[in-house]
Structure formats: structure tokens, C-alpha cells
Amino acid sequence: MSHAWMPASPCGDGCLTEGAATVSFARRVLRFASAIGVVLAALLTVPLLLGLRGRGRERLVRAIFRSVLRAFGVKLFVRGGADFLAAPAGRGALVVNNHISWLDIVAINALRPMRALAKVEIGSWPVLGTLVRRGGSIFLDRERLRTLPATMTELADALRSGSLVNVTPEGTTWCGLASGRFTSATFQAAIDGGVPVRPIALRYRLADGRETSMPAFIGPESLIASLRRVASLRGLVLEAHVCPEIAPGRAEDRRSLAALAEASVHSVLGTVRIPAQGRRRVSPAPTAKASVETAEPHPAHRAGSVA
């Protein structure tokens, strides 16, 4: 961690639910082979994608991401958002969701293909990284805060030009049973671009209906370890709840806009939100004329936020 305000989650291995049914080793191998086959097929269709426009291109890209979900045995259920799913291309919007797993990115693009604001590390990931790069992602270097203003300007320009851009405002993954605050920096890009915000709430369940945190990509584990765990699950269901749009001008500033989007997601999921922890600042030493003081940090300096 290169700075004190890197987004962080307390979730780890202890958050993973138990008792999930699993598939055989042979089925896991088949799932990996299928996913790799989908990515290779996607690469072969790049020339075709360059020649397609509008709905034709969107249908093909959506089919690719839905094929990735099927390859890993994931069933996608969509609730709400008929207006969003049927909206014509060319109307920009900031699409935000709670962040649990690498599967989140696949699910969002299985609903509607869009660009993403992604951490630079994702570009080097196997399988998913290739698709994200090809999708025109805007990459954010979380290790270098000085690059944030330029990245937010690029994001605002993309929104203003009519792009849908997916952002995960928690800044890092959580287990899904608990979640973090929506940081506000990216919502300023929506304000500057004059576009609406569309919150989407994601939840993972097992075939028997129990909510599960097993797909979560948390703690120090590698992406490969997370891929293996997802590939082993039987009957994994991903629910995507598309919340009502938050129109431009509804919030007076970016923090209010972030709070509205966060409330939309949590009203659907009923999840426990872990509040940001303010850090106490203590003067170097008390003197006869000075005593130990504490102060609340500036909002931009709260733990786990880049605002």
C-alpha cells in the first residue's frame, strides 16, 4: 500500500460462507476450458466488432460476457431496469454497483456492454483482463494519487460523449454480506458530464436460495484462487437489481450524489455497511499553553476513500 487512503476492506477468509455444494474436478476443468474458449473466440471476433455499430455490436458483446458466466456455471437473474436495458446507445450514464467479485464486471456487461473505470492491475488478469482491455476501459492507478484528476477528467469526457461507464465506488471488493462507503470522486465526473447515475445492486446466491459470499474476491488471495473457488461451485446464482435512475441535478454535490446511489443499493440488499473510520490526530506533546487535541480528518482523508 503506497498511501494511507488506499481503499481497504476488513473482509477476508473468515467471511466466506460454508456448506456450498461443489462440482467434480472434471467439471471444474471443463469450466476453465470453456472460459478460455470464450475468450479466444472473442479475440477472433474483434475484426467483426470493429465493423459493427449500435445494437448489433452490443448484442455480440453481451453474448460474449453471458457466455463467460455460463462457462463458470453462473445463472444470471435480472430484476428491474427495463428502461435501462432497452435504452438506445449514445446516452451517457455513470453505472455504479457494490463490489464483491471479479464476476461483477462480467455481469454488468452481460446486462449492457459498457466501458469501465478499472484498476490498472485488471488489465493483466487472465481471461477477464483481455475482455476489459478490449472494452475500452479507463484505467485508474490507485498507487499514484496525483494521476486521479486526469483520470476523472477522462471519465467525465467519456460520459459527456455518450458512453456508459461502470464504476465500483467502494474502491475494493467486499464479501457481500457487509459493504463499504461509496467514495465521491467519480460522482463528480457524472456531475461534470451532465449525465445520470444508474445504481445496480448485485447479490450472489446458491441453488437452494441461500446468500453466499463464496464468489467474493477478498483478502490476500490470488485471482487464480478465486477463479478456482467459483469454478467449483454448483448452482451459483447472480442477482442483478437495476435501481431507478438518479437524474442530473437531483443532488447538490458529489457527496450527496454518492449517498443517494449508496442508499439505493443498500435499500435493495439490506446489507450491513461498515462506516469509514476517522483517524485521530494528536499534537506532538502537551505544554503549559497547549493540551492534547483531537480532530476529525478532512473528508478527503478518511480511511478507505479517495474523494
Side-chain angles (χ1 to χ4, degrees), residues 80-97:
D83 60 323
F84 172 69
L85 300 177
R91 182 174 184 262
L94 185 73
V95 181
V96 299
N97 60 275

Side-chain angles (χ1 to χ4, degrees), residues 2-132:
S2 62
H3 55 80
W5 304 290
M6 179 76 80
S9 163
C11 297
D13 292 345
C15 295
L16 297 178
T17 51
E18 299 178 353
T22 58
V23 299
S24 66
F25 177 75
R27 178 60 65 86
R28 300 176 199 185
V29 173
L30 180 60
R31 286 178 172 180
F32 271 108
S34 298
I36 292 172
V38 170
V39 173
L40 291 177
L43 293 177
L44 292 175
T45 62
V46 168
L48 177 60
L49 286 172
L50 293 176
L52 290 175
R53 293 291 183 272
R55 284 296 184 184
R57 185 179 189 278
E58 186 171 300
R59 280 194 295 268
L60 180 56
V61 175
R62 185 169 59 240
I64 291 171
F65 280 97
R66 291 192 174 190
S67 296
V68 173
L69 292 177
R70 283 195 296 270
F72 280 100
V74 181
K75 294 182 180 179
L76 176 64
F77 286 98
V78 184
R79 305 186 188 280
D83 60 323
F84 172 69
L85 300 177
R91 182 174 184 262
L94 185 73
V95 181
V96 299
N97 60 275
N98 56 313
H99 198 16
I100 302 170
S101 170
W102 53 270
L103 279 171
D104 301 348
I105 302 170
V106 182
I108 293 296
N109 283 274
L111 296 177
R112 280 197 69 181
M114 63 188 72
R115 301 174 69 179
L117 178 68
K119 59 184 182 180
V120 292
E121 299 94 316
I122 290 180
S124 62
W125 282 4
V127 182
L128 185 60
T130 301
L131 296 176
V132 171

Side-chain angles (χ1 to χ4, degrees), residues 13-291:
D13 292 345
C15 295
L16 297 178
T17 51
E18 299 178 353
T22 58
V23 299
S24 66
F25 177 75
R27 178 60 65 86
R28 300 176 199 185
V29 173
L30 180 60
R31 286 178 172 180
F32 271 108
S34 298
I36 292 172
V38 170
V39 173
L40 291 177
L43 293 177
L44 292 175
T45 62
V46 168
L48 177 60
L49 286 172
L50 293 176
L52 290 175
R53 293 291 183 272
R55 284 296 184 184
R57 185 179 189 278
E58 186 171 300
R59 280 194 295 268
L60 180 56
V61 175
R62 185 169 59 240
I64 291 171
F65 280 97
R66 291 192 174 190
S67 296
V68 173
L69 292 177
R70 283 195 296 270
F72 280 100
V74 181
K75 294 182 180 179
L76 176 64
F77 286 98
V78 184
R79 305 186 188 280
D83 60 323
F84 172 69
L85 300 177
R91 182 174 184 262
L94 185 73
V95 181
V96 299
N97 60 275
N98 56 313
H99 198 16
I100 302 170
S101 170
W102 53 270
L103 279 171
D104 301 348
I105 302 170
V106 182
I108 293 296
N109 283 274
L111 296 177
R112 280 197 69 181
M114 63 188 72
R115 301 174 69 179
L117 178 68
K119 59 184 182 180
V120 292
E121 299 94 316
I122 290 180
S124 62
W125 282 4
V127 182
L128 185 60
T130 301
L131 296 176
V132 171
R133 289 196 308 273
R134 294 288 185 180
S137 292
I138 299 168
F139 287 104
L140 171 66
D141 189 345
R142 300 183 305 167
E143 300 283 342
R144 302 165 61 203
L145 282 179
R146 66 177 179 273
T147 65
L148 182 62
T151 304
M152 292 303 102
T153 297
E154 183 181 359
L155 174 58
D157 289 343
L159 294 168
R160 192 179 296 112
S161 68
S163 294
L164 293 174
V165 184
N166 177 225
V167 171
T168 52
E170 290 167 303
T172 189
T173 50
W174 289 66
C175 69
L177 306 180
S179 57
R181 293 291 302 268
F182 279 17
T183 56
S184 61
T186 53
F187 291 91
Q188 185 62 50
I191 293 173
D192 293 344
V195 301
V197 172
R198 175 69 72 158
I200 298 179
L202 302 178
R203 190 200 315 267
Y204 292 87
R205 294 191 185 276
L206 301 175
D208 60 9
R210 287 182 297 148
E211 189 169 353
T212 181
S213 59
M214 289 296 283
F217 180 37
I218 51 180
E221 72 176 348
S222 67
L223 176 63
I224 295 299
S226 180
L227 285 165
R228 287 174 177 168
R229 189 169 63 249
V230 168
S232 72
L233 295 173
R234 183 186 297 277
L236 181 61
V237 174
L238 198 170
E239 294 180 359
H241 300 254
V242 184
C243 304
E245 177 181 284
I246 303 174
R250 174 141 174 230
E252 61 182 12
D253 55 39
R254 68 187 191 183
R255 288 179 175 81
S256 299
L257 186 54
L260 282 174
E262 183 182 320
S264 294
V265 169
H266 291 299
S267 67
V268 170
L269 300 178
T271 48
V272 176
R273 181 179 59 75
I274 308 299
Q277 300 296 312
R279 297 186 303 164
R280 297 173 68 86
R281 185 173 62 205
V282 180
S283 59
T287 65
K289 295 184 178 180
S291 59

